mmCIF file of all heavy atoms in Angstrom:
data_model
loop_
_atom_site.group_PDB
_atom_site.id
_atom_site.type_symbol
_atom_site.label_atom_id
_atom_site.label_comp_id
_atom_site.label_asym_id
_atom_site.label_seq_id
_atom_site.Cartn_x
_atom_site.Cartn_y
_atom_site.Cartn_z
ATOM 1 N N LEU A 178 -4.036 5.321 -16.245
ATOM 2 C CA LEU A 178 -4.505 6.714 -16.214
ATOM 3 C C LEU A 178 -5.507 6.923 -15.082
ATOM 4 O O LEU A 178 -5.430 7.922 -14.346
ATOM 5 C CB LEU A 178 -5.138 7.073 -17.553
ATOM 6 C CG LEU A 178 -5.693 8.503 -17.677
ATOM 7 C CD1 LEU A 178 -4.578 9.513 -17.486
ATOM 8 C CD2 LEU A 178 -6.374 8.696 -19.025
ATOM 9 N N LEU A 179 -6.452 5.997 -14.911
ATOM 10 C CA LEU A 179 -7.408 6.116 -13.814
ATOM 11 C C LEU A 179 -6.707 6.055 -12.462
ATOM 12 O O LEU A 179 -7.047 6.799 -11.540
ATOM 13 C CB LEU A 179 -8.447 4.985 -13.903
ATOM 14 C CG LEU A 179 -9.502 5.091 -14.997
ATOM 15 C CD1 LEU A 179 -10.450 3.894 -14.925
ATOM 16 C CD2 LEU A 179 -10.299 6.387 -14.852
ATOM 17 N N GLY A 180 -5.719 5.162 -12.346
ATOM 18 C CA GLY A 180 -4.957 5.083 -11.098
ATOM 19 C C GLY A 180 -4.219 6.366 -10.799
ATOM 20 O O GLY A 180 -4.138 6.800 -9.644
ATOM 21 N N MET A 181 -3.686 7.003 -11.831
ATOM 22 C CA MET A 181 -2.988 8.281 -11.651
ATOM 23 C C MET A 181 -3.954 9.366 -11.192
ATOM 24 O O MET A 181 -3.607 10.189 -10.340
ATOM 25 C CB MET A 181 -2.307 8.682 -12.964
ATOM 26 C CG MET A 181 -1.152 7.773 -13.362
ATOM 27 S SD MET A 181 -0.466 8.157 -15.000
ATOM 28 C CE MET A 181 0.174 9.817 -14.722
ATOM 29 N N VAL A 182 -5.153 9.362 -11.756
ATOM 30 C CA VAL A 182 -6.160 10.363 -11.359
ATOM 31 C C VAL A 182 -6.542 10.174 -9.892
ATOM 32 O O VAL A 182 -6.651 11.146 -9.134
ATOM 33 C CB VAL A 182 -7.399 10.269 -12.267
ATOM 34 C CG1 VAL A 182 -8.529 11.137 -11.722
ATOM 35 C CG2 VAL A 182 -7.048 10.690 -13.685
ATOM 36 N N LEU A 183 -6.757 8.926 -9.478
ATOM 37 C CA LEU A 183 -7.089 8.654 -8.079
ATOM 38 C C LEU A 183 -5.980 9.134 -7.151
ATOM 39 O O LEU A 183 -6.240 9.712 -6.088
ATOM 40 C CB LEU A 183 -7.334 7.157 -7.873
ATOM 41 C CG LEU A 183 -8.647 6.575 -8.399
ATOM 42 C CD1 LEU A 183 -8.683 5.065 -8.155
ATOM 43 C CD2 LEU A 183 -9.845 7.238 -7.724
ATOM 44 N N THR A 184 -4.734 8.884 -7.543
ATOM 45 C CA THR A 184 -3.598 9.308 -6.721
ATOM 46 C C THR A 184 -3.504 10.827 -6.655
ATOM 47 O O THR A 184 -3.282 11.403 -5.589
ATOM 48 C CB THR A 184 -2.297 8.734 -7.292
ATOM 49 O OG1 THR A 184 -2.405 7.309 -7.407
ATOM 50 C CG2 THR A 184 -1.117 9.055 -6.379
ATOM 51 N N ALA A 185 -3.700 11.477 -7.801
ATOM 52 C CA ALA A 185 -3.572 12.936 -7.867
ATOM 53 C C ALA A 185 -4.642 13.652 -7.059
ATOM 54 O O ALA A 185 -4.425 14.773 -6.576
ATOM 55 C CB ALA A 185 -3.628 13.398 -9.318
ATOM 56 N N THR A 186 -5.798 13.025 -6.889
ATOM 57 C CA THR A 186 -6.900 13.683 -6.179
ATOM 58 C C THR A 186 -6.914 13.369 -4.687
ATOM 59 O O THR A 186 -7.814 13.815 -3.984
ATOM 60 C CB THR A 186 -8.252 13.254 -6.788
ATOM 61 O OG1 THR A 186 -8.347 11.816 -6.783
ATOM 62 C CG2 THR A 186 -8.382 13.763 -8.212
ATOM 63 N N SER A 187 -5.934 12.643 -4.213
ATOM 64 C CA SER A 187 -5.941 12.290 -2.790
ATOM 65 C C SER A 187 -4.580 12.468 -2.126
ATOM 66 O O SER A 187 -4.456 13.182 -1.124
ATOM 67 C CB SER A 187 -6.417 10.844 -2.602
ATOM 68 O OG SER A 187 -5.582 9.945 -3.309
ATOM 69 N N GLU A 188 -3.562 11.859 -2.677
ATOM 70 C CA GLU A 188 -2.289 11.770 -1.956
ATOM 71 C C GLU A 188 -1.547 13.094 -1.765
ATOM 72 O O GLU A 188 -0.937 13.298 -0.719
ATOM 73 C CB GLU A 188 -1.373 10.759 -2.657
ATOM 74 C CG GLU A 188 -0.191 10.359 -1.798
ATOM 75 C CD GLU A 188 0.530 9.152 -2.335
ATOM 76 O OE1 GLU A 188 -0.160 8.209 -2.793
ATOM 77 O OE2 GLU A 188 1.765 9.150 -2.324
ATOM 78 N N PRO A 189 -1.531 14.029 -2.742
ATOM 79 C CA PRO A 189 -0.787 15.274 -2.525
ATOM 80 C C PRO A 189 -1.252 16.078 -1.315
ATOM 81 O O PRO A 189 -0.505 16.916 -0.797
ATOM 82 C CB PRO A 189 -1.022 16.055 -3.827
ATOM 83 C CG PRO A 189 -1.306 15.010 -4.850
ATOM 84 C CD PRO A 189 -2.074 13.959 -4.110
ATOM 85 N N PHE A 190 -2.483 15.838 -0.851
ATOM 86 C CA PHE A 190 -3.000 16.608 0.273
ATOM 87 C C PHE A 190 -2.494 16.085 1.624
ATOM 88 O O PHE A 190 -2.525 16.800 2.619
ATOM 89 C CB PHE A 190 -4.535 16.589 0.263
ATOM 90 C CG PHE A 190 -5.128 17.161 -0.991
ATOM 91 C CD1 PHE A 190 -5.592 16.335 -1.999
ATOM 92 C CD2 PHE A 190 -5.214 18.531 -1.171
ATOM 93 C CE1 PHE A 190 -6.140 16.856 -3.163
ATOM 94 C CE2 PHE A 190 -5.749 19.068 -2.324
ATOM 95 C CZ PHE A 190 -6.215 18.232 -3.330
#
Side-chain angles (χ1 to χ4, degrees):
L178 179 61
L179 286 181
M181 292 174 64
V182 171
L183 286 178
T184 305
T186 55
S187 59
E188 194 167 319
F190 301 101

